[in-house]
């Protein structure tokens, strides 16, 4: 990261932290009231437990599937024909015991060109980053995958700005309103990561 990028990142970090301290969502159309999703989740959790469906739902959540999807893109440079991207999203690693291990089992031995992890690493939606136990399963997931062009991450609406540094220390650089170019000879594809515009919109890069 060069000096200009450091300045831009500092501006984003300050703006993001200020938004995290507010109860309103920041959107391109201005501030909006946050939905009481925590209360909805609590009610749903209690309902499932009372109905005896909690354990079944937990088992379903730990049944992680590795799926392959082939895309045909007419404008894709020939050099990237057959390029393999592993996309892992909405991990919510602290939502259930054993979730990290289940993901590791699903992706173990995967050999791809690029791996992207697109946020919601923790389960809670607000508050400081105290769920540092999620870093160990993230490291295990990283170690289970061979990605020749490396790993990149973005933040989700559950994630806080203070997670960027520890993710980078794990070898998971975070794209925040940035584009990274993956090159094959004279050709390149752009990998762009943006912050959540429905909750943390800011023009600051």
């Amino acid at each position: 990261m060069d000096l200009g990028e450091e300045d831009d990142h500092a501006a984003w970090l300050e703006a993001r932290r200020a938004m995290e301290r507010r109860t309103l969502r920041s959107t391109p159309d201005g501030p909006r009231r946050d939905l009481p999703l925590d209360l909805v989740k609590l009610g749903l959790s209690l309902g499932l437990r009372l109905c005896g469906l909690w354990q079944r739902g937990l088992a379903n959540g730990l049944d992680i599937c590795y799926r392959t999807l082939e895309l045909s893109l007419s404008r894709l440079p020939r050099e990237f024909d057959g390029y393999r991207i592993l996309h892992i999203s909405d991990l919510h690693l602290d939502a259930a015991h054993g979730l990290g291990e289940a993901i590791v089992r699903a992706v173990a031995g995967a050999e791809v060109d690029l791996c992207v992890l697109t946020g919601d690493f923790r389960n809670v939606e607000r508050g400081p980053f105290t769920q540092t136990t999620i870093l160990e399963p993230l490291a295990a997931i990283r170690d289970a995958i061979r990605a020749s062009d490396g790993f990149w991450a973005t933040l989700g609406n559950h994630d806080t700005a203070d997670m960027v540094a520890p993710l980078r220390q794990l070898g998971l650089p975070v794209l925040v309103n940035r584009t990274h170019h993956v090159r094959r000879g004279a050709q390149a594809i752009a990998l762009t990561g943006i912050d959540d515009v429905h909750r943390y919109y800011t023009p600051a890069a």
Side-chain angles (χ1 to χ4, degrees):
M1 182 182 292
D2 61 28
L3 185 59
E5 289 178 334
E6 288 180 357
D7 290 341
D8 289 342
H9 177 74
W12 167 81
L13 189 61
E14 182 180 354
R16 179 66 137 80
R17 284 173 172 166
M19 286 185 286
E20 290 176 7
R21 291 191 292 267
R22 298 197 297 263
T23 57
L24 296 176
R25 291 183 292 123
S26 179
T27 76
D29 298 321
R32 295 287 185 272
R33 288 193 177 278
D34 215 349
L35 298 175
L37 295 181
D38 288 338
L39 293 177
V40 174
K41 289 179 182 178
L42 178 60
L44 182 60
S45 172
L46 290 174
L48 289 173
R49 291 176 189 275
L50 290 172
C51 294
L53 297 176
W54 178 258
Q55 290 301 321
R56 181 186 298 180
L58 184 61
N60 288 340
L62 294 174
D63 186 17
I64 307 296
C65 298
Y66 185 111
R67 294 183 178 176
T68 301
L69 178 64
E70 186 172 338
L71 301 177
S72 179
L73 305 173
S74 60
R75 298 178 61 186
L76 185 71
R78 183 176 301 175
E79 288 83 351
F80 288 91
D81 185 29
Y83 196 78
R84 301 160 303 170
I85 301 175
L86 176 57
H87 179 204
I88 304 174
S89 187
D90 293 87
L91 291 81
H92 299 283
L93 287 165
D94 56 332
H97 179 70
L99 186 53
E101 291 87 344
I103 297 172
V104 168
R105 287 194 297 270
V107 302
E111 296 188 13
V112 296
D113 297 294
L114 185 72
C115 179
V116 293
L117 299 98
T118 53
D120 283 358
F121 298 104
R122 67 176 187 173
N123 195 43
V124 298
E125 293 187 66
R126 292 285 189 179
F129 178 48
T130 59
Q131 303 80 12
T132 54
T133 54
I134 70 172
L135 297 176
E136 184 175 346
L138 273 174
I141 293 167
R142 176 207 60 201
D143 292 343
I145 300 163
R146 294 181 61 183
S148 57
D149 287 332
F151 297 79
W152 290 90
T154 62
L155 297 179
N157 65 298
H158 285 241
D159 304 322
T160 173
D162 290 332
M163 295 171 67
V164 171
L167 287 172
R168 285 178 173 166
Q169 291 172 1
L170 285 179
L172 303 175
V174 181
L175 282 174
V176 180
N177 304 331
R178 284 284 184 273
T179 295
H180 169 74
H181 290 93
V182 180
R183 302 191 181 278
R184 289 285 186 274
Q187 299 297 323
I189 57 174
L191 182 68
T192 300
I194 60 172
D195 212 352
D196 179 10
V197 298
H198 299 293
R199 176 167 289 179
Y200 297 119
Y201 172 78
T202 172

